[in-house]
Amino acid sequence: MTSGTVATAVEVQLPLKVVRRKIERVGFAYFAQRRQFLAPGGVERSESDEKLEGVGEEVDISYLKSLDPKEWKDQDHYAILGLGKLRYEASEDDIRRAYRRMVLLHHPDKRKAKGEEVIQDDDYFTCITKAYEILGTSKPRRSFDSVDPEFDDSLPSQTDIDNDFFGVFNKFFTLNGRWSEKPHVPAFGQVDAKREEVERFYNFWYDFKSWREFSYLDEEDKEKGQDRDERRWIEKENRAARIKRKKEEMSRIRSLVDLAYNNDKRIQRFKQEEKDRKAAAKRAKMDAAQAQKAEADRAIREAALAKEKAEKAEQKRIEQIRIEREQQKKLLKKERKTLRDKVKDCKYYAKNDKDQLKHMEGIEKICETFNLAELQALNKAMESKGRESFVAALQTAEQKIAAELEEINQTQAKKLASSAVTPKGVKEVKKNELWSNENVQLLIKAVNLFPAGTAQRWDVIATFINQHSQDNTVLVTARDVLNKAKALQNTDHSKSSLKTQANDAAFASFEKSKKDVQTCKDITLGEETTAQASKENLKQNGVDHKANNQSTKQNGTSPATATPAAAAPAPVPATNGSSGGGAASKTWTKEEQALLEQAIKTYPTTTPDRWDCIAACIPNRSKKDCLRRVKELVELVNSKKEAQAAVK
């Protein structure tokens, strides 16, 4: 270091890390520390010893001497060991240390050394040993804790509840919470507790599981049983007593919870809040429903007003259109009359009779084809150019008619071209083949059988014709039937040969049957007519042809082959009661049918010999004929119903 330099001191701060470690004392330090934790009697002290100091945990010697070893079940084992304050909160280490202290103070050898007289079989030290045996083992201690004599099993009174509700129930639920199998028993809380906390508390206690058991109170010890059966019986009796006490305990807990729940002001407040909330929601819902209903009513009223307004406008428009049409019709009628009068006054602008006839027809053509404006223009033009304007208008009308006819012909040609291709499986039928004389007769009969008002009348008639027609290859439809019926209705029957033939056949049948009539005992009998006459009478009188067709088909013969057989003469019955087969095939006339119906009404089913009486009212008919005719009428009605059912 030179003389010119100045010495300076630099202070440097270094951070030092302090580490704390536990070091086991040895030697004098160990014994000095140990003496601080030793009790005056030489027993090692613990934290529980500090708790017991000053709270009367020193056991009175007179209390110990008053104990009877034989009555150990009725003794307070915690008090015997000096743990009367800690009780169930005492740990295993506390129990072990308390027992060691009691051994050092009250062991018989210690007392003998002090000159105290000790009775070996009846010494109170036996109670100390028994207390340690019970409390020092977990299962016996659990049994004793379940019946701890210091535990209060009572319920709070209503007076205590009214005075201090939260204080009383906090105390009781804290005491009973020691029996819970689940840890972390929720607290009862105060008046400002939240709803979730209160609900969690009551849910816990209403689902409370207790570990408390009552085996300590068993009246008999099963190990003292002489044999296995006696030990089983003792165990059964003890188990029944435990179950009964367990039920009583759970009922007590439930009563405590119910008592708290029913008196809890918080629950009442929560219920009132819930009730108010529901009422508010209900009011809001009702208000919304009323508002919605009012809105719907308003919309309905507006829609009704709008509809009424639209209807009035539509009616006004329709009325206006009607008035305009009426005016147009009047004007058109006026113009047509003016045209007709002008042409008539000018003698139809005709040069001869042929032109006059042509122009008379032309006036109608012009009136039908010309509109109002054209007629007005024509009438105005005819004032200056009479015949020339009329002839030009006539040509124009003919051109319009020709154009319309051409358009109609083209439309029909297109329809015919589109329907020219016949689908496969469809048979083309001509009108002449479809409506033969037989089908026409069936149509006339069906129209009479199924009058106007019958459900689906034309379908029923078509089905009837298809069922009774001999040619089953050609089927008629309801539209064919309707068209044919209209055609027959519009036809001039005076010029038709069909009616003439029917009338001639009917008259011939009537004349022939009149010639064959005989009189026998004031009863008129007629011989059997031919099959042809019967068929003609059948058509004339409108009698159903179905029964004859069915009978011929059932016999295996066709109507054509059955005619000769039917035409063969048969014996004529002599009396009404005869059962000959000749009259069976004779056709019933209208007069006979009317007599049969009247006789059936005159003689009801309760009349004795009813059919004999009915047959007596009808000349030339036997009882068998009447029965057969009624059967035919029944079959006719059934066939009518079948035809209607087939259409449905």
Side-chain angles (χ1 to χ4, degrees):
M1 180 182 295
T2 61
S3 58
T5 61
V6 179
T8 59
V10 180
E11 184 178 1
V12 179
Q13 294 182 357
L14 298 176
L16 298 177
K17 185 176 181 181
V18 179
V19 179
R20 293 181 178 272
R21 296 179 181 176
K22 292 183 179 181
I23 300 175
E24 185 179 359
R25 294 183 177 90
V26 295
F28 292 103
Y30 170 76
F31 288 107
Q33 182 67 21
R34 185 172 177 79
R35 280 194 296 271
Q36 294 179 3
F37 289 94
L38 289 177
V43 180
E44 185 177 355
R45 295 172 60 85
S46 66
E47 295 179 359
S48 59
D49 292 334
E50 296 178 358
K51 296 179 183 179
L52 296 176
E53 288 181 356
V55 292
E57 286 298 319
E58 293 293 336
V59 183
D60 188 4
I61 188 65
S62 59
Y63 169 71
L64 293 176
K65 290 182 178 180
S66 65
L67 298 175
D68 185 2
K70 297 179 182 179
E71 302 294 334
W72 59 271
K73 268 197 172 185
D74 299 331
Q75 297 171 3
D76 187 356
H77 302 301
Y78 285 113
I80 293 173
L81 295 180
L83 300 174
K85 297 294 182 181
L86 293 177
R87 306 194 72 80
Y88 70 93
E89 294 180 349
S91 63
E92 295 180 359
D93 187 60
D94 293 337
I95 295 172
R96 181 175 58 81
R97 291 175 184 277
Y99 174 68
R100 289 182 62 186
R101 184 172 62 250
M102 295 299 292
V103 168
L104 292 175
L105 294 176
H106 301 284
H107 195 273
D109 294 341
K110 293 282 186 179
R111 289 186 286 134
K112 284 181 181 180
K114 293 180 180 180
E116 183 179 347
E117 183 180 0
V118 178
I119 301 175
Q120 191 69 27
D121 295 334
D122 195 18
D123 188 62
Y124 65 87
F125 187 75
T126 305
C127 297
I128 297 174
T129 305
K130 189 66 175 178
Y132 181 68
E133 289 178 358
I134 293 175
L135 299 180
T137 310
S138 60
K139 187 174 180 180
R141 183 186 179 185
R142 191 182 184 91
S143 300
F144 177 75
D145 287 342
S146 298
V147 296
D148 191 348
E150 295 295 328
F151 181 75
D152 186 8
D153 286 328
S154 63
L155 298 178
S157 63
Q158 190 63 40
T159 304
D160 296 338
I161 294 173
D162 295 337
N163 293 334
D164 187 10
F165 174 80
F166 291 99
V168 169
F169 279 107
N170 268 308
K171 172 187 173 183
F172 274 86
F173 281 110
T174 302
L175 290 176
N176 287 275
R178 60 184 286 192
W179 311 122
S180 175
E181 293 181 355
K182 301 177 182 179
H184 310 298
V185 179
F188 185 71
Q190 297 298 327
V191 68
D192 57 347
K194 296 180 180 180
R195 181 170 184 170
E196 293 76 11
E197 297 176 356
V198 176
E199 290 179 350
R200 183 169 63 252
F201 172 82
Y202 282 109
N203 290 336
F204 177 85
W205 280 96
Y206 274 117
D207 194 23
F208 185 75
K209 303 295 182 183
S210 175
W211 56 261
R212 194 177 186 185
E213 51 95 9
F214 302 92
S215 59
Y216 189 83
L217 300 179
D218 292 345
E219 296 181 0
E220 299 286 343
D221 187 3
K222 72 173 184 178
E223 300 300 333
K224 294 182 180 180
Q226 297 181 357
D227 53 15
R228 183 175 63 181
D229 293 337
E230 185 176 358
R231 287 194 294 271
R232 286 182 177 177
W233 181 83
I234 292 172
E235 178 63 23
K236 181 179 179 181
E237 293 295 323
N238 291 338
R239 189 184 302 110
R242 293 173 198 167
I243 293 173
K244 181 179 179 180
R245 292 189 179 99
K246 184 71 174 182
K247 289 182 179 179
E248 292 175 354
E249 170 66 10
M250 297 309 298
S251 177
R252 184 187 69 83
I253 294 293
R254 185 60 180 262
S255 300
L256 176 64
V257 179
D258 289 339
L259 187 62
Y261 187 85
N262 294 331
N263 291 274
D264 198 338
K265 303 296 182 182
R266 300 171 299 180
I267 297 297
Q268 298 175 5
R269 186 178 75 249
F270 297 152
K271 288 183 178 180
Q272 187 63 34
E273 291 176 356
E274 182 68 17
K275 186 177 179 181
D276 295 342
R277 185 186 65 79
K278 289 183 178 180
K282 186 176 180 180
R283 285 195 299 271
K285 186 177 180 180
M286 291 179 62
D287 294 342
Q290 291 178 357
Q292 185 178 2
K293 184 178 180 181
E295 181 66 20
D297 293 342
R298 185 186 62 80
I300 291 173
R301 288 195 299 271
E302 292 179 355
L305 291 174
K307 183 178 179 181
E308 183 178 359
K309 187 176 179 181
E311 288 178 354
K312 289 182 179 179
E314 183 66 18
Q315 290 178 359
K316 186 177 180 181
R317 187 183 67 82
I318 293 173
E319 183 66 19
Q320 186 66 26
I321 293 173
R322 188 185 66 79
I323 293 172
E324 292 178 357
R325 286 180 179 176
E326 291 293 333
Q327 293 176 355
Q328 291 285 338
K329 286 182 180 179
K330 290 180 180 179
L331 293 175
L332 187 61
K333 187 176 181 181
K334 181 179 178 181
E335 294 296 332
R336 287 176 178 174
K337 186 176 183 304
T338 303
L339 176 63
R340 290 190 181 99
D341 293 341
K342 285 183 179 181
V343 175
K344 186 176 181 181
D345 293 341
C346 296
K347 296 183 180 179
Y348 300 100
Y349 298 106
K351 295 179 180 180
N352 49 39
D353 294 340
K354 185 176 181 181
D355 287 345
Q356 183 178 357
L357 181 61
K358 180 180 179 183
H359 291 175
M360 289 174 67
E361 294 177 355
I363 291 173
E364 299 303 325
K365 293 180 181 179
I366 293 172
C367 291
E368 292 297 331
T369 56
F370 277 34
N371 54 27
L372 179 61
E374 292 175 343
L375 286 174
Q376 290 176 349
L378 177 59
N379 289 330
K380 187 175 181 180
M382 286 177 63
E383 293 177 358
S384 58
K385 303 177 182 179
R387 177 180 174 79
E388 183 180 353
S389 300
F390 177 76
V391 173
L394 183 58
Q395 292 177 357
T396 304
E398 290 177 352
Q399 290 176 2
K400 287 184 178 181
I401 294 173
E404 291 178 359
L405 291 175
E406 182 64 24
E407 184 179 357
I408 293 172
N409 292 332
Q410 290 178 1
T411 304
Q412 291 180 352
K414 290 180 181 179
K415 289 183 179 180
L416 292 174
S418 61
S419 61
V421 180
T422 304
K424 293 182 179 180
V426 178
K427 182 180 179 181
E428 294 184 359
V429 180
K430 297 181 180 179
K431 283 189 175 182
N432 296 332
E433 296 179 359
L434 183 63
W435 291 106
S436 60
N437 290 334
E438 180 187 1
N439 288 349
V440 172
Q441 293 297 330
L442 289 174
L443 173 60
I444 295 172
K445 183 187 296 185
V447 169
N448 294 327
L449 284 175
F450 306 103
T454 305
Q456 298 180 350
R457 182 190 184 194
W458 301 110
D459 294 328
V460 173
I461 292 174
T463 305
F464 180 83
I465 294 172
N466 294 330
Q467 288 179 350
H468 296 83
S469 178
Q470 294 182 1
D471 187 5
N472 294 327
T473 58
V474 180
L475 300 179
V476 298
T477 62
R479 182 167 294 278
D480 296 334
V481 172
L482 180 59
N483 294 334
K484 186 62 177 177
K486 288 183 178 180
L488 291 176
Q489 185 177 5
N490 297 329
T491 303
D492 187 2
H493 296 285
S494 61
K495 299 179 181 179
S496 177
S497 60
L498 182 64
K499 185 174 181 180
T500 304
Q501 293 176 2
N503 291 335
D504 294 341
F507 183 75
S509 176
F510 172 73
E511 289 292 334
K512 190 168 185 179
S513 61
K514 186 176 179 181
K515 292 179 180 178
D516 296 338
V517 172
Q518 297 178 359
T519 303
C520 179
K521 295 182 181 180
D522 297 334
I523 298 177
T524 303
L525 300 175
E527 294 183 354
E528 180 186 10
T529 61
T530 61
Q532 184 64 28
S534 299
K535 187 175 181 180
E536 292 172 355
N537 288 334
L538 183 65
K539 293 179 181 179
Q540 178 182 1
N541 298 328
V543 181
D544 189 7
H545 189 61
K546 179 181 177 182
N548 295 334
N549 288 341
Q550 288 181 349
S551 61
T552 54
K553 290 179 182 179
Q554 290 176 0
N555 295 331
T557 60
S558 63
T561 57
T563 301
V572 178
T575 63
N576 290 345
S578 63
S579 60
S585 60
K586 183 179 179 182
T587 304
W588 283 65
T589 63
K590 286 186 178 181
E591 292 79 6
E592 292 175 342
Q593 180 68 28
L595 290 173
L596 175 62
E597 293 176 358
Q598 184 61 38
I600 290 174
K601 294 178 182 178
T602 304
Y603 300 102
T605 55
T606 57
T607 304
D609 299 331
R610 182 192 182 200
W611 292 105
D612 293 333
C613 297
I614 292 173
C617 297
I618 306 171
N620 304 329
R621 295 295 179 182
S622 64
K623 175 181 177 181
K624 189 173 182 180
D625 294 337
C626 296
L627 289 172
R628 185 180 292 108
R629 178 58 179 169
V630 171
K631 184 176 180 181
E632 290 176 357
L633 294 176
V634 171
E635 292 177 354
L636 178 65
V637 173
N638 291 336
S639 65
K640 182 176 180 180
K641 292 181 179 179
E642 290 175 1
Q644 291 178 341
V647 174
K648 296 180 180 179

